[in-house]
Amino acid sequence: MTLAADHPRHEGASPDSTPPARARRSMRVRWSEFGRPPRLMGIDVARGLAVFGMIGAHAGIATSFSWTDPVSWMALVEGRSSILFAVVAGISVALATGSGVRPQGEALRSARLRMAGRALAVLAIGLLLEMLGTNIAVILPVYGVLFLVVIPFLGLRRRTLLLGAAVIAVVGPVAILTARALALGGAGGGVDFLLSGSYPLTVWLPLMLLGMAVGRSRLDDVRTALALVGVGAVLAVTGYGVGTALNGPGNGWIQDGSSAGSFASSASTTSTVPEDGGLGATGGASGSGSAQACVTGSDGTTTCTPGGGSFISGSDGPGGQTYEMPSYLERLADYDLGASISSAWAVAPHSGGTFEIVGSGGFALAVIGGCLLAVRRLRAVFVPLAAVGSMPLTAYSVHVVSFAILVGPVGLVPALFAGERGAGFAFWGASMGILLVACTTWALTRGRGPLERVTAWAARRTDSTSSPGH
């Protein structure tokens, strides 16, 4: 999520593009001028692709991949779209805080203040979208936290950013899973949100740092674009290849689509049944749980704890049953530490493993490089897609709201989306068409997107050094 459109290099129009001046121009002239330097149109195009990819994943178009079935190639959007989003967000952070160069002194202080304001605005918008009650794993709250987390990194050199991204990508998943394993899988809401949810910081932070390093390169140079394609391809082949070899084909770089918020998953919710079959609920039996031990009290509630434990029949207590709690070491011995920690090397979409970061991060770099090259020759063709990418916060939010109206609690047409893949494609196509027209019209006539204006205002309000016209 860029939210960096208030920076001159990433604003889009030429300096004389005031509202009255734009109003006097024909749509053809506006079209021909949109996305020209100092704006980096290729970045907008890559961001637009990421937005549409995430919409496709939410719509449930991702299925099992097959080289012989071109329709199944849509499964590529699963996981990779959000990772492309993260890398481009890092690029936008770099452009917004220093026009591609490392900010220092007063400029660095101002950049940090503005980033804090932008983060709070994004977090607030994300929380409002979550209140709509869709099954979509809304990414904005995580981005709000990420923008706060990257504040200490804003003044670092490009080489340091790349080193930090590599260290976090390798060490982060192992460290988090080791801690979770030693805690026997237990965690609070904060850990689930930041470290083991759909968008863990150990995945998104290194990707954003990678994007910040790329954003401080000469992105207007064709050699940089070619380097991104080449390096990205090498990383993708290495990450996906090694990850699939280690994890097996069944847990490889692409799997059946299972994105939170798909039409198939929006109709109902599921719960996990304890692996011991709920022995504690039966009473009068003795045994030990293989993964969880459960006991039912007199009020009918069942409490489960990780690890084994003995169930003892008898008349002790009002429930007629007692539970003997095993020690921590006994439960730790029963916990499969190796299997838990080994998932740190996973490569499948949304697995959060190191090889997913390497493979999908490389894929994102290659896409960004390709977009930078494509717009050099076909700039006019990509104007609508770049318009969507110039206002990703607005486009993403409109999508979530429309999903809530059609599929979520309101559900105006729930029968249409009862797990039908064809309906998912219809929703995806309609969403893309509407956003392309609406965002292009807005961008050519009004400039910055409406929610992007909100984040720009929040950024200015937190920076006391900025003037009203900054």
Side-chain angles (χ1 to χ4, degrees), residues 280-318:
T282 62
S286 297
S288 60
S290 60
Q292 287 187 332
C294 302
V295 59
T296 301
S298 59
D299 60 354
T301 60
T302 300
T303 302
C304 298
T305 59
S310 299
F311 295 96
I312 305 174
S313 302
S315 58
D316 296 339

Side-chain angles (χ1 to χ4, degrees), residues 17 50 81 117 148 205 221 295 301 323 328 373:
S17 294
S81 300
L148 292 174
L205 181 56
D221 191 331
V295 59
T301 60
Y323 174 70
Y328 170 77
L373 292 173

Side-chain angles (χ1 to χ4, degrees), residues 141-167:
V142 175
Y143 270 98
V145 174
L146 271 172
F147 287 141
L148 292 174
V149 172
V150 300
I151 288 177
F153 296 88
L154 295 180
L156 298 183
R157 300 179 185 274
R158 184 171 57 180
R159 182 178 302 175
T160 307
L161 291 171
L162 291 174
L163 178 61
V167 170

Side-chain angles (χ1 to χ4, degrees), residues 7 29 31 55 126 177 186 268 272 386 395 399 416 459:
H7 192 275
V29 173
W31 189 291
I55 294 176
L177 288 170
S268 62
T272 302
H399 155 63
L416 180 61

Side-chain angles (χ1 to χ4, degrees), residues 94-122:
L95 295 175
T97 56
S99 296
V101 298
R102 181 168 64 97
Q104 302 180 62
E106 187 62 30
L108 177 59
R109 176 183 176 275
S110 176
R112 286 172 170 166
L113 290 172
R114 294 169 71 87
M115 186 59 62
R118 184 174 290 111
L120 294 176
V122 173

Side-chain angles (χ1 to χ4, degrees), residues 16-336:
D16 63 338
S17 294
T18 59
R22 287 200 305 268
R24 292 192 295 269
R25 294 172 179 170
S26 67
M27 184 65 70
R28 180 178 179 180
V29 173
R30 297 173 190 171
W31 189 291
S32 66
E33 291 185 354
F34 182 82
R36 292 193 180 277
R39 192 172 188 91
L40 294 170
M41 187 177 181
I43 302 301
D44 284 333
V45 171
R47 195 183 298 109
L49 289 175
V51 171
F52 285 153
M54 288 191 293
I55 294 176
H58 297 159
I61 66 168
T63 61
S64 56
F65 182 86
S66 173
W67 288 108
T68 59
D69 181 11
V71 176
S72 72
W73 296 356
M74 295 296 101
L76 287 171
V77 303
E78 185 68 26
R80 294 165 188 83
S81 300
S82 53
I83 284 181
L84 173 60
F85 210 57
V87 177
V88 176
I91 294 175
S92 298
V93 167
L95 295 175
T97 56
S99 296
V101 298
R102 181 168 64 97
Q104 302 180 62
E106 187 62 30
L108 177 59
R109 176 183 176 275
S110 176
R112 286 172 170 166
L113 290 172
R114 294 169 71 87
M115 186 59 62
R118 184 174 290 111
L120 294 176
V122 173
L123 179 61
I125 294 171
L127 293 177
L128 289 175
L129 292 178
E130 284 196 337
M131 292 175 64
L132 296 177
T134 66
N135 279 352
I136 292 176
V138 178
I139 200 172
L140 295 184
V142 175
Y143 270 98
V145 174
L146 271 172
F147 287 141
L148 292 174
V149 172
V150 300
I151 288 177
F153 296 88
L154 295 180
L156 298 183
R157 300 179 185 274
R158 184 171 57 180
R159 182 178 302 175
T160 307
L161 291 171
L162 291 174
L163 178 61
V167 170
I168 297 173
V170 174
V171 177
V174 175
I176 295 304
L177 288 170
T178 300
R180 289 293 301 271
L182 293 176
L184 302 177
V191 173
D192 288 337
F193 171 64
L194 295 175
L195 301 177
S196 59
S198 299
Y199 309 111
L201 288 184
T202 51
V203 174
W204 259 243
L205 181 56
L207 292 169
M208 186 168 285
L209 295 181
L210 171 64
M212 289 173 61
V214 172
R216 291 182 182 161
S217 305
R218 291 289 306 275
L219 293 176
D220 54 350
D221 191 331
V222 66
R223 291 173 297 183
T224 302
L226 291 172
L228 289 175
V229 173
V231 172
V234 171
L235 289 175
V237 171
T238 302
Y240 292 145
V242 176
T244 300
L246 290 176
N247 294 278
N251 298 293
W253 62 284
I254 195 162
Q255 292 180 315
D256 290 348
S258 57
S259 174
S262 67
F263 290 115
S265 65
S266 61
S268 62
T269 58
T270 60
S271 58
T272 302
V273 179
E275 291 185 13
D276 65 359
L279 290 176
T282 62
S286 297
S288 60
S290 60
Q292 287 187 332
C294 302
V295 59
T296 301
S298 59
D299 60 354
T301 60
T302 300
T303 302
C304 298
T305 59
S310 299
F311 295 96
I312 305 174
S313 302
S315 58
D316 296 339
Q321 178 179 341
T322 61
Y323 174 70
E324 184 179 291
M325 174 66 72
S327 68
Y328 170 77
L329 293 179
E330 289 174 332
R331 285 180 288 156
L332 187 62
D334 194 55
Y335 196 92
D336 195 345

